[in-house]
Amino acid sequence: MSEELRRRMVEDQLVRHGISDRRVLDAMGRVPREAFVPEALASSAYMDGPLSIGGGQTISQPYIVARMLEAAAIAPGDRVLDVGTGSGYAAAVAAEMGATICSIERDAALGEAARARLQALGYDVAVTVGDGTRGLESPAPFDAILVAAAAPTVPEALRAQLAIGGRLVIPVGRTRQGQELRRIARRSATEFDDILLEMVAFVPLIGHEGWPDASGGIG
Ligand code: SAM
């Protein structure tokens, strides 16, 4: 049954909205999203939207997860940093794509729950509890960095931890209603290409190079 719901999610929500990377579509067709949401919401796991996962946080809309993974152009063997583990779903999809994933979550309860969930489901993801705006000094540099919460500006630590050729996909903006989803690709030690993908609405990225607290700044 969930296999059929996943197939429909892939066809109706992802392909129909322009996702074409076969590896993203296949990976999302394999990860059981219902295992990443609270039991009471399991029947809504394949609906086209974000869902509450507790602690005031959400698992992102499937389309947005797919859009970010496609924009990050993750290849098997890539070293990927996932900032904002949340439920662990996006990390699991990236792991299904054959990447090596480190994930970082500031909320200890969510981070620990995601670590246990990913392990129980057999996903090899290293989950750290901490401030993802600082990235992870080790094992940086990363081929791709995905940030699932909105920053006021692009954290310098994350730019610095991109490998040459690496891609950072991050929502940036100063209001809660809308932020710019941006893709920043590192061309050289000092040069970056920066493009706007689309407008999105994410929860705030809170930390040293993010917002000061849950209410701070983001309107
Ligand atoms: N990717 C997640 C998933 O698949 O369930 C959804 C992430 S949710 C939209 C955003 C997450 O970012 C929240 O769990 C929040 O606690 C976390 N977060 C916010 N600021 C953070 C920071 N500085 N470092 C790490 N995580 C942060």
Side-chain angles (χ1 to χ4, degrees), residues 20-196:
S20 60
D21 182 332
R22 201 61 248 174
R23 284 177 314 105
V24 173
L25 297 171
D26 289 348
M28 290 191 63
R30 287 194 296 270
V31 177
R33 195 166 187 262
E34 70 277 14
F36 292 84
V37 302
E39 233 177 297
L41 295 178
S43 61
S44 307
Y46 295 98
M47 280 172 46
D48 186 13
L51 290 170
S52 170
I53 54 170
Q57 300 300 334
T58 55
I59 177 173
S60 304
Q61 179 191 15
Y63 165 73
I64 288 295
V65 175
R67 181 78 166 110
M68 292 180 73
L69 288 164
E70 185 171 72
I74 292 170
D78 274 2
R79 191 176 289 181
V80 175
L81 175 64
D82 169 51
V83 175
T85 315
S87 68
Y89 176 73
V93 179
E96 278 283 351
M97 293 174 70
T100 300
I101 318 295
C102 295
S103 188
I104 182 161
E105 169 58 54
R106 73 180 284 275
D107 180 306
L110 284 177
E112 279 153 24
R115 184 187 292 135
R117 180 178 302 118
L118 287 160
Q119 194 179 14
L121 291 167
Y123 290 108
D124 187 12
V125 174
V127 178
T128 302
V129 171
D131 177 6
T133 71
R134 297 179 188 270
L136 273 184
E137 288 288 342
S138 172
F142 296 99
D143 300 299
I145 301 178
L146 302 164
V147 183
T153 55
V154 179
E156 284 307 318
L158 298 185
R159 273 186 205 271
Q161 290 179 19
L162 273 184
I164 306 295
R167 294 80 56 199
L168 164 62
V169 180
I170 179 168
V172 183
R174 296 192 168 268
T175 69
R176 192 178 286 277
Q177 289 73 25
Q179 306 103 28
E180 295 182 345
L181 184 64
R182 285 162 57 178
R183 177 186 191 270
I184 293 152
R186 186 168 201 168
R187 265 207 277 164
S188 68
T190 53
E191 293 170 302
F192 295 84
D193 295 322
D194 186 339
I195 60 165
L196 167 64

